[in-house]
Amino acid sequence: MKNQGGGWRMESTPVKCDSLPTVDTDGSPIRDFGGFTSCFATPSALCMKEQLVDLISCGFTREYLDKNQPPIEISEWCACRDDCGGTYLLNVTLLDENKHNMGNYHVEEDLSGPKGKEWKKVSHTFSEYGEGIRYVSFNHAGSGSAHTPGDFGSKMSGGIVRVLE
């Protein structure tokens, strides 16, 4: 975890942006938030954190992962305050048992302008990545365009790593 400025904050409900969405564009319920209404908020300065998901500890066997190479879906929702733009970054890496890179997905979202306050889903599905994957590194970060103390950076919620069987 790397914190600059005031560090990461948890907002019980998003402040100065739209509420987390409850239905998708087709009207189906969004379950990504697990019933929660909270989000992480960053200050203006860059803040990042990483979670390492051990697929073997999650119950998958080496044989299953190597033979089937099941699709691995990653996603997260991001937004920004309505009075300040920001940047959201997501970097997800598939790793082998020695933690060598076996595949990577990176996205940077500019959340400036009037649509920045609307929650946007960022997602990617890894497939046909080869034998040997054992970990998923989920690293997200955010910052704001204002150089003001407080939570003026990007917001994120509903981060998911899902192995599709």
Side-chain angles (χ1 to χ4, degrees):
M1 185 179 314
K2 178 180 179 182
N3 290 316
Q4 295 181 9
W8 289 90
R9 299 267 163 81
M10 178 69 100
E11 296 176 348
S12 57
T13 56
V15 175
K16 307 257 324 144
C17 72
D18 292 351
S19 297
L20 294 175
T22 57
V23 293
D24 217 333
T25 53
D26 65 0
S28 59
I30 296 174
R31 294 181 172 84
D32 294 356
F33 309 110
F36 293 95
T37 59
S38 57
C39 67
F40 290 107
T42 67
S44 296
L46 180 69
C47 279
M48 65 180 74
K49 60 184 172 157
E50 176 185 23
Q51 181 173 356
L52 186 66
V53 178
D54 182 337
L55 297 173
I56 304 303
S57 292
C58 290
F60 296 98
T61 65
R62 288 170 170 75
E63 296 77 22
Y64 176 79
L65 293 170
D66 290 347
K67 180 181 176 189
N68 297 306
Q69 297 179 32
I72 298 174
E73 176 188 40
I74 56 96
S75 64
E76 187 166 51
W77 294 78
C78 61
C80 209
R81 293 172 59 111
D82 62 6
D83 59 355
C84 176
T87 301
Y88 166 81
L89 300 120
L90 178 64
N91 189 52
V92 179
T93 308
L94 302 181
L95 303 168
D96 68 12
E97 65 184 72
N98 297 313
K99 299 194 175 119
H100 294 131
N101 185 338
M102 294 191 61
N104 184 267
Y105 173 75
H106 175 81
V107 66
E108 182 173 334
E109 291 289 331
D110 178 0
L111 301 172
S112 300
K115 290 201 171 268
K117 70 182 186 81
E118 298 174 11
W119 287 93
K120 176 180 182 177
K121 185 174 185 175
V122 175
S123 65
H124 177 75
T125 302
F126 293 97
S127 61
E128 299 179 21
Y129 40 77
E131 293 181 3
I133 182 171
R134 302 296 180 258
Y135 302 94
V136 179
S137 169
F138 190 98
N139 184 318
H140 57 189
S143 63
S145 58
H147 300 291
T148 307
D151 302 327
F152 286 92
S154 60
K155 301 172 186 292
M156 52 210 73
S157 187
I160 293 174
V161 174
R162 180 179 293 133
V163 177
L164 305 173
E165 298 184 68

